[in-house]
Amino acid sequence: MKLKDTAFTVKAERAILFRVMLTGNHCEDETPLEELLQLAKTAGANVIHTVVQKRPHIDPVYYIGKGKAAELSLIAKDFSADVLICDDDLTPAQVRNLEKVIEKKVIDRSELILDIFATRAKTFQAKLQVELAQLEYTRPRLKRMWTHLSRIEGGIGTRGPGEKQLEVDKRIVLRKIHDLRKKLHEIEKRQERIVASRKEFFTVSIVGYTNAGKSTLMNALTTIDTFVEDKLFATLDTKTSICKLENGKKILVSDTVGFIQKLPHHLVSSFKATLEESRHADLLLHVVDISSPLAYKQIESVDTVLKELGCDKKPTIMVFNKIDAVKNESMIPLLQNRYKDCIPISAKTHQGIGRLKREIEEKLEKYYLDVELTCSTGNGKLIAYLHEHTHVLSSCFDEQRVTFRLLMKDKLLHKLRMMDNTIQIRETTGAN
């Protein structure tokens, strides 16, 4: 038994893109297939035609309606298409019905994204995450993806036809999913320990829409040489490096996988360990490609994913990147007016990087106090609490007292005094 490759490779294939735009939906894009076009190009497809149908609702059988499906069949023949790519997720039945009418391979948005992720995954963790996401996607679609449905396994010593091969395969897939989740859970716990071990540093996580320039910004802020490419999902693995601010303090900056509209839920779930940096970061840098005509929509998409991850309440700096590539400069003041706490930069030319670093310093000083705390060495509960909930910069023990240098949120002051009213706390200044 061999499972078909769940990532449909569309490299060098001639592709037709299609989608339904619901009538009465005023939130639809003016360029409805622009992002799918970029995804298809990233996967290596040659996009030869696009089809958009306006409907009051999605057809449950064919997604686009039987008549439009027949029209797509003629278009596919005329253009000698190899594959048709839908901008929404399709049910297994919709894919099966469309392929019967069109007589060409039909894949949906999730399948395309999974294909891209499969080609981009380099590390062991990323490969596990992609494999899990593929299997999660494949499981309800086994009937379409297996070529041996009619096979019955029986033989000497068995009575009756035995168990259908499809059921055997389902169990194998479920077992594989369980094993992958177990491995990723171990990686996730290790990731949490790594993140927790960085308590002495103020941590900043770069988040944003895919291809917004996060990796280029990472290179501009740190000494690390992160891989940069003008394609979607160039980065699948989290990278972390030290950034030295202008006041001498050092912070940790992490690059993360890019977000996208309608990001498949199983991908968010599979990449939980990769996104751990964002969930534990002290500050988020939300990078926006200000040269994109879809900037507003992309900001909303990132905010949606951040909310799902529980990061929507974190201190955030909006970073408007690629100001050197903006064609309509009137966009910049419009976005600045709408998003007050924002910094326009060009990570490529380093324009505005100094200002961004100063803004990070201000956020650090605004949300965190730099204090010196002295308490009894016997107060193990308080000392453990300090290591768990503050950034311990240094500690100095003598026989009866211990003095800590801490970065901590100001709201913790009252709680610390409630835990031990004999402690001494004073604010201090200086470099990390």
Side-chain angles (χ1 to χ4, degrees):
M1 191 279 293
K2 184 173 176 62
L3 174 65
K4 282 186 178 180
D5 188 357
T6 54
F8 286 89
T9 303
V10 296
K11 186 174 182 181
E13 290 184 313
R14 293 166 62 82
I16 293 175
L17 313 183
F18 69 99
R19 70 164 290 185
V20 167
M21 288 185 69
L22 298 178
T23 55
N25 189 345
H26 302 295
C27 297
E28 294 283 10
D29 300 331
E30 294 179 6
T31 52
L33 288 171
E34 178 64 29
E35 184 169 272
L36 188 65
L37 177 65
Q38 294 300 318
L39 286 168
K41 286 181 177 178
T42 298
N46 176 23
V47 178
I48 54 176
H49 192 64
T50 62
V51 175
V52 177
Q53 183 191 32
K54 290 189 176 182
R55 291 178 57 88
H57 56 80
I58 299 295
D59 185 283
V61 180
Y62 293 97
Y63 171 77
I64 55 174
K66 190 172 183 180
K68 199 68 173 179
E71 184 183 326
L72 263 181
S73 178
L74 295 174
I75 294 172
K77 287 183 176 68
D78 289 343
F79 282 90
S80 301
D82 301 304
V83 60
L84 286 88
I85 307 174
C86 180
D87 194 34
D88 290 306
D89 281 352
L90 301 171
T91 66
Q94 286 170 336
V95 173
R96 188 166 58 250
N97 294 333
L98 284 170
E99 288 185 338
K100 280 183 181 178
V101 174
I102 302 171
E103 297 181 333
K104 299 287 183 181
K105 182 169 66 178
V106 177
I107 67 175
D108 61 19
R109 184 184 180 88
S110 285
E111 217 161 0
L112 179 62
I113 293 174
L114 284 170
D115 180 86
I116 296 169
F117 271 53
T119 60
R120 295 286 181 179
K122 303 299 180 188
T123 66
F124 177 67
Q125 178 183 342
K127 288 176 181 178
L128 286 181
Q129 290 166 328
V130 170
E131 187 178 358
L132 175 60
Q134 287 179 336
L135 288 173
E136 292 278 17
Y137 176 86
T138 299
R139 188 172 57 161
R141 295 165 171 79
L142 293 181
K143 285 189 178 181
R144 177 169 70 91
M145 305 183 79
W146 258 247
T147 56
H148 46 258
L149 304 185
S150 60
R151 275 176 44 193
I152 303 294
E153 285 200 344
I156 298 174
T158 64
R159 293 185 180 274
E163 185 177 26
K164 285 186 178 180
Q165 180 64 33
L166 176 60
E167 299 304 318
V168 175
D169 293 347
K170 280 183 177 179
R171 287 207 321 274
I172 292 172
V173 170
L174 285 171
R175 193 181 308 124
K176 182 68 173 176
I177 288 174
H178 174 76
D179 291 343
L180 287 170
R181 283 178 176 166
K182 186 177 179 182
K183 289 178 182 177
L184 283 171
H185 181 64
E186 292 171 359
I187 292 174
E188 190 176 320
K189 289 197 295 185
R190 186 163 64 246
Q191 195 80 18
E192 287 179 351
R193 289 195 296 270
I194 291 171
V195 173
S197 69
R198 299 170 178 162
K199 278 288 183 181
E200 69 272 19
F201 286 100
F202 182 81
T203 56
V204 175
S205 183
I206 302 174
V207 299
Y209 210 75
T210 183
N211 207 32
K214 298 181 299 299
S215 297
T216 307
L217 177 58
M218 177 79 171
N219 290 341
L221 289 174
T222 70
T223 56
I224 194 172
D225 187 17
T226 305
F227 174 71
V228 175
E229 189 175 2
D230 187 21
K231 285 188 177 179
L232 306 186
F233 301 116
T235 301
L236 286 189
D237 304 293
T238 299
K239 294 177 177 62
T240 303
S241 185
I242 292 176
C243 168
K244 190 172 183 179
L245 300 178
E246 294 182 5
N247 62 2
K249 290 188 176 181
K250 294 178 182 178
I251 62 171
L252 284 182
V253 180
S254 298
D255 188 14
T256 60
V257 62
F259 302 153
I260 198 168
Q261 287 183 46
K262 296 181 281 187
L263 185 68
H265 180 77
H266 44 265
L267 273 178
V268 176
S269 176
S270 300
F271 278 76
K272 186 180 177 184
T274 302
L275 297 168
E276 196 69 26
E277 297 284 350
S278 300
R279 298 202 299 122
H280 287 273
D282 299 304
L283 175 68
L284 300 181
L285 299 183
H286 181 169
V287 183
V288 180
D289 177 2
I290 199 174
S291 68
S292 170
L294 304 176
Y296 286 112
K297 200 76 176 173
Q298 292 175 359
I299 291 171
E300 290 175 7
S301 299
V302 173
D303 287 342
T304 299
V305 178
L306 289 176
K307 188 171 184 180
E308 187 174 343
L309 293 170
C311 300
D312 53 317
K313 303 298 183 184
K314 282 189 177 293
T316 303
I317 298 175
M318 191 77 74
V319 181
F320 289 150
N321 190 27
K322 303 187 183 182
I323 57 173
D324 57 313
V326 173
K327 293 179 181 178
N328 181 10
E329 294 189 0
S330 63
M331 276 283 292
I332 298 177
L334 285 173
L335 284 165
Q336 285 180 313
N337 186 55
R338 182 166 177 175
Y339 302 97
K340 302 296 183 184
D341 193 9
C342 64
I343 306 290
I345 69 160
S346 169
K348 185 178 179 180
T349 66
H350 286 214
Q351 183 181 349
I353 294 298
R355 182 184 170 190
L356 176 59
K357 285 186 175 183
R358 289 191 294 275
E359 184 67 20
I360 293 172
E361 289 174 13
E362 290 179 14
K363 288 286 186 183
L364 190 152
E365 292 169 0
K366 180 178 178 181
Y367 289 98
Y368 288 84
L369 298 176
D370 190 339
V371 302
E372 190 176 272
L373 183 147
T374 304
C375 67
S376 169
T377 54
N379 195 338
K381 183 179 179 180
L382 175 64
I383 293 173
Y385 186 87
L386 293 176
H387 281 92
E388 179 70 23
H389 297 280
T390 73
H391 299 266
V392 179
L393 303 178
S394 64
S395 57
C396 180
F397 287 81
D398 59 29
E399 291 183 0
Q400 296 183 339
R401 308 288 285 176
V402 55
T403 300
F404 292 101
R405 171 86 181 285
L406 309 168
L407 268 182
M408 56 183 283
K409 294 179 180 178
D410 55 0
K411 63 182 180 181
L412 289 179
L413 281 175
H414 178 69
K415 185 172 180 63
L416 292 175
R417 289 194 170 99
M418 291 286 290
M419 292 177 68
D420 186 346
N421 58 13
T422 66
I423 62 173
Q424 299 174 9
I425 302 177
R426 70 178 184 86
E427 288 191 39
T428 184
T429 57
N432 277 4

